[in-house]
Amino acid sequence: MKNVLKKMYFSQNSLEIFSQCRMKFKKRYLDGLYWRNWTPDSEDLKRLEKGRLFHLYAYRYALGLDTQAGCRGEDDGCIAGWLDSLKRFLKAEGGSPLFPEFELKISEDIMRLQAKFDLIALNDDGRVTIYDWKVQGKPLNRKRLEQSYQTILYRYLLTRAGETVKGTPIKPEDISMVYWQPEFPDRPVRITYSTSLFGEDDRFIRNQIQKIMECDFTSPILKTTDERICKHCEFCSICNHYQPEQIAYDGIEPELEWEEIEEIEF
């Protein structure tokens, strides 16, 4: 297990899962167990598929590719409506340089981090905006987003490896992150950054990774005692011998070919 950890790159999901339940972290990232489609007819999986399609068409839109072919027939026009809202929210032609589905990976001793950004935009004033598309059926919670592992890791990682995107280093003050929902197009959540927050994030991420590296994953007391987490975990039936109420699919990472991603060595 230690050999696996020494080679592992940490994402928002892996860091968050470790903070929730060390047993779940072990099963997913060290044992390699992924149970993705245990209820293929569930409403959550339908929404997950809608989200996948929207991300695909948003990617095509940012690249200036055709988004009409096939889009109108998806889910009775739902995806087309979402895409129309995106086009009103963000101009892809004649505007700032856009980098959709952009992947970054850095390595510095235990600080091995990776992330895939829905969209990075270089603004005319030299600032950089991270966009993230969310397809939850209810409005987002700003406070929860500000404290989320995604916000912490994405802004931090772009600061550390931003030269790959911009060609020159990016200051924390020049970074902002925007969460946007197609079902609530007029309610984006914009979160700024600063040098002081970057310092806090650096200490926080290092501390979390150190805890992972020092964890005894052979311990019989890895499982969380928080039943709220268990009720939404795909391993609930193994640990607790009862079926989970609903799988939390938002925590599932896509399959990423990280070996193809440019790595920034320090």
Side-chain angles (χ1 to χ4, degrees), residues 208-255:
Q208 292 301 102
I209 294 178
Q210 192 64 47
K211 287 181 180 178
I212 295 174
M213 301 301 292
E214 296 175 353
C215 179
D216 179 9
F217 287 102
T218 64
S219 171
I221 55 173
L222 289 176
K223 189 180 73 170
T224 181
T225 57
D226 189 339
E227 292 187 0
R228 295 172 300 176
I229 294 175
C230 293
K231 290 179 179 179
H232 298 280
C233 176
E234 66 265 38
F235 304 113
C236 179
S237 59
I238 296 177
C239 296
N240 302 304
H241 308 294
Y242 63 83
Q243 290 297 323
E245 292 182 359
Q246 186 181 36
I247 295 293
Y249 284 103
D250 285 345
I252 295 179
E253 296 180 282
E255 293 288 349

Side-chain angles (χ1 to χ4, degrees), residues 9 19 21 26 28 49 64 68-69 77 93 109 112 119 130 159 168-169 178 196 202-204 216-217 255 258:
Y9 281 77
S19 71
C21 177
K26 176 182 180 296
R28 179 175 291 188
E49 177 62 13
Q68 298 301 316
E93 294 183 2
D109 52 74
R112 296 182 301 277
L119 181 68
I130 302 168
T159 302
T168 57
V178 174
S196 61
D202 182 76
R203 291 187 291 274
F204 175 76
D216 179 9
F217 287 102
E255 293 288 349
W258 291 109

Side-chain angles (χ1 to χ4, degrees), residues 69-112:
C71 183
R72 294 290 167 183
E74 298 288 0
D75 198 49
D76 297 324
C78 172
I79 305 301
W82 285 3
L83 189 59
D84 287 341
S85 294
L86 176 62
K87 291 177 179 179
R88 290 190 292 269
F89 174 72
L90 181 70
K91 291 185 179 180
E93 294 183 2
S96 305
L98 302 178
F99 299 84
E101 300 297 322
F102 197 83
E103 300 163 349
L104 281 179
K105 181 178 179 180
I106 67 170
S107 177
E108 180 192 69
D109 52 74
I110 66 170
M111 292 288 279
R112 296 182 301 277

